[in-house]
Amino acid sequence: MSLSKKNSVKLRDEERARLIWLLITHKPLTASLLGQLTLAEQVDSAALEQDLAEVNALVSHLPPPDLADTLEALPVDERHALWRLVSDDKRGKVLLEASENVWDDLIDEMSDRALLDALQTLDIDDQIWLVQHLPRNLTGRLMATLPRAERNRMREVMRYGKNCVGAIMEFGVITVRAEVTLAAVQRYLRRLGKMPDNTDKLFVIGRDNRLMGELALQTILLNAAGKRVSEVMDADPVAFSPEEDAEKVARTFERDNLLSAAVVDDNGMLLGRLTIDEIVNVVYEETDNDLRQMGGLSAEEDVFAPVSKAVKTRWAWLAINLCTAFIASRVIDGFEHTISQLVALASLMPIVAGIGGNTGNQTITMIVRALALQNIQPGNFAFLIMRELGVALINGLVWGGIMGCITWWLYDDAALGGVMTLAMVLNLLMAALMGVLIPMIMTRLGRDPAVGSSVMITAITDTGGFFIFLGLATLFLL
């Protein structure tokens, strides 16, 4: 990145930070933008006018991606205030860049007409993508405003599921025929005057629109102008079906270092293309969703959402966690006599449960990642279990031994130290085994292995850890 670009990015970051600070710390400013400033409030009008002018200048200067990031970093009231300052010609692009989690807030006070006007500023690919995700059913009204060719494109895309390749493909492609020369291709490109973003290749088609190959821009530049396209094209291009899962396709993009690829139907007819832009969005969304779901959070939760909405999106897993905690407490209650005879057990139990929970979360995170990358196959499943059990056994012996020695020293009881060591070894082995089995079983049942996995592994290691430790103490110490 050049020095001037670095300075530009730094300046935009500073402007975003300044805009956020003004809206959050200057409450009269936000109230004024929302029309909630009352006559009873004592406000320095000159200072308020100055702040309004500065905020307007910042909003007009920042590009849509930065405005989208700014909106996502603001609480609800400040977000509404800023949204009112975004010009109509920018709103569609800001919606395009913003996450789904804040769309409800951004369009809350917009009429259907205003939403349609915002969409009109976007190209057809972006319109199609937004209409599929917006909470209101504006598809019919938007399609009525489009030319026939673009209406047909939208109908084509709407056939596919949200996570399919067909839902994110672009129609902006440049095609050439196999029989023409590279010189003709160059003249054609010069006549076009511009190319769609992320164009690194042209697609070679027959007269029936069947994909025959692809022609890299580099190939056009480095070969003699008199050569025909058929002589230098890649006749075996990477192409995807519109029904394929977008997350799996993203892995192919990463593995083959693709910038774009063709999308074809079952008959090999060219429908559109995928570009790295869409793939990056898919990867980002999947990563974000997996991080939320592993912690038992809803994928729709917004960090600045109202308390009532946050409560609704979190209560389910908290209820499950409460139930599992209750089961763990019943396990402890079952060993009440043991604990009363040896009070030291009460202070040592959390150590056994905690180390097991950490081991389980490490294992389950690695397995979920391996499943996402399709690295786990039937042939290596047994190896993975034995590997994780081996790691857990060594860690259990090392750290369990250390904790056993500390316990012996603290309580002057060698038997208690030995129970502590054995309990840690057994709990780590159980945590490792369940860390492999839980995501594998969820995958076999057709469920997302990331959903609530950390909650489940913590519940199992807590309950199991208490049972193992107190059970061993009952057997060997009483």
Side-chain angles (χ1 to χ4, degrees):
M1 185 184 293
S2 67
L3 182 60
S4 61
K5 286 185 178 180
K6 285 183 180 178
N7 290 338
S8 175
V9 171
K10 183 179 179 181
L11 178 60
R12 284 161 48 191
D13 288 341
E14 290 174 352
E15 289 177 340
R16 283 184 59 247
R18 175 65 178 172
L19 183 56
I20 292 169
W21 183 82
L22 283 170
L23 289 168
I24 290 179
T25 60
H26 291 51
K27 295 301 181 183
L29 173 62
T30 299
S32 175
L33 291 170
L34 294 174
Q36 298 172 354
L37 194 62
T38 64
L39 294 175
E41 294 179 288
Q42 297 295 320
V43 178
D44 185 341
S45 58
L48 180 59
E49 288 296 327
Q50 184 177 350
D51 289 341
L52 284 171
E54 184 177 2
V55 168
N56 273 298
L58 290 171
V59 172
S60 63
H61 181 259
L62 286 171
D66 290 299
L67 287 174
D69 288 345
T70 305
L71 285 161
E72 292 178 11
L74 290 171
V76 175
D77 286 343
E78 287 75 8
R79 186 180 290 166
H80 277 286
L82 177 57
W83 186 237
R84 292 188 179 189
L85 295 178
V86 178
S87 59
D88 293 340
D89 61 324
K90 277 187 177 182
R91 282 190 163 188
K93 294 178 181 178
V94 172
L95 282 174
L96 192 66
E97 298 291 340
S99 67
E100 295 179 49
N101 300 328
V102 299
W103 278 351
D104 285 344
D105 281 338
L106 297 184
I107 66 173
D108 185 55
E109 58 189 53
M110 295 178 68
S111 65
D112 286 354
R113 182 68 263 167
L115 261 175
L116 288 171
D117 289 343
L119 293 176
Q120 295 294 342
T121 63
L122 304 175
D123 61 36
I124 180 61
D125 294 317
D126 292 337
Q127 287 180 351
I128 292 172
W129 190 83
L130 269 180
V131 166
Q132 292 180 94
H133 293 76
L134 286 174
R136 302 182 190 181
N137 184 16
L138 301 177
T139 307
R141 293 181 61 184
L142 177 62
M143 289 176 65
T145 67
L146 299 175
R148 177 178 296 180
E150 294 185 353
R151 277 203 304 273
N152 292 337
R153 288 181 178 181
M154 184 170 287
R155 289 194 184 98
E156 180 73 23
V157 170
M158 298 299 289
R159 292 171 45 204
Y160 305 110
K162 179 180 176 181
N163 298 317
C164 292
V165 165
I168 60 173
M169 68 178 176
E170 293 184 359
F171 293 100
V173 298
I174 300 178
T175 59
V176 294
R177 297 287 176 80
E179 62 271 14
V180 302
T181 63
L182 296 183
V185 173
Q186 292 174 7
R187 291 194 299 271
Y188 173 58
L189 292 177
R190 284 193 290 270
R191 282 200 307 272
L192 286 177
K194 64 177 183 178
M195 292 186 288
D197 293 339
N198 299 303
T199 296
D200 65 320
K201 64 191 66 166
L202 313 182
F203 298 107
V204 184
I205 60 171
R207 296 186 182 278
D208 58 356
N209 199 46
R210 192 184 304 274
L211 181 67
M212 300 176 62
E214 60 187 26
L215 183 66
L217 296 182
Q218 181 176 330
T219 302
I220 300 173
L221 295 174
L222 298 182
N223 285 275
K227 284 191 174 182
R228 297 192 179 279
V229 169
S230 57
E231 299 177 61
V232 295
M233 72 179 187
D234 180 358
D236 187 26
V238 176
F240 301 104
S241 164
E243 287 87 6
E244 287 189 69
D245 183 82
E247 188 179 357
K248 294 180 180 178
V249 169
R251 289 192 284 273
T252 304
F253 262 70
E254 185 274 332
R255 185 189 63 220
D256 296 346
N257 296 318
L258 299 174
L259 290 179
S260 65
V263 179
V264 298
D265 64 13
D266 294 337
N267 298 317
M269 303 297 179
L270 181 65
L271 298 176
R273 65 168 187 155
L274 279 182
T275 70
I276 193 65
D277 276 358
E278 285 77 31
I279 295 302
V280 168
N281 288 335
V282 168
V283 172
Y284 176 82
E285 288 179 7
E286 288 298 327
T287 302
D288 180 59
N289 287 341
D290 285 349
L291 285 173
R292 290 168 179 265
Q293 290 170 347
M294 286 187 73
L297 292 175
S298 166
E300 291 79 28
E301 183 167 345
D302 173 18
V303 70
F304 292 110
V307 172
S308 58
K309 185 176 180 181
V311 169
K312 290 178 182 178
T313 57
R314 298 187 191 186
W315 74 267
W317 281 109
L318 289 177
I320 294 172
N321 189 241
L322 181 62
C323 293
T324 58
F326 180 77
I327 294 172
S329 73
R330 292 301 86 202
V331 170
I332 296 172
D333 188 62
F335 292 93
E336 182 180 359
H337 176 70
T338 302
I339 297 173
S340 65
Q341 294 292 314
L342 195 57
V343 179
L345 296 175
S347 62
L348 295 174
M349 284 190 304
I351 299 175
V352 177
I355 197 73
N358 185 49
T359 296
N361 276 314
Q362 288 176 340
T363 302
I364 212 164
T365 300
M366 189 197 69
I367 297 299
V368 168
R369 177 184 179 275
L371 286 168
L373 297 174
Q374 294 184 325
N375 290 336
I376 297 179
Q377 302 297 331
N380 56 24
F381 178 59
F383 170 81
L384 280 173
I385 290 182
M386 297 307 298
R387 175 187 179 275
E388 289 305 307
L389 289 176
V391 172
L393 179 61
I394 294 172
N395 281 333
L397 290 172
V398 172
W399 298 109
I402 292 173
M403 195 61 218
C405 292
I406 293 174
T407 301
W408 184 2
W409 174 69
L410 285 175
Y411 299 101
D412 194 25
D413 189 338
L416 180 59
V419 166
M420 186 68 178
T421 299
L422 184 57
M424 288 185 66
V425 170
L426 293 177
N427 198 29
L428 261 63
L429 288 172
M430 181 187 67
L433 180 63
M434 298 311 298
V436 176
L437 291 179
I438 287 174
M440 295 296 294
I441 292 172
M442 292 179 70
T443 301
R444 181 63 63 89
L445 296 175
R447 304 293 301 274
D448 188 339
V451 178
S453 54
S454 64
V455 176
M456 287 187 283
I457 194 68
T458 300
I460 291 173
T461 53
D462 283 354
T463 305
F466 294 149
F467 181 81
I468 291 169
F469 183 49
L470 295 175
L472 290 174
T474 302
L475 288 175
F476 297 111
L477 300 180
L478 298 181

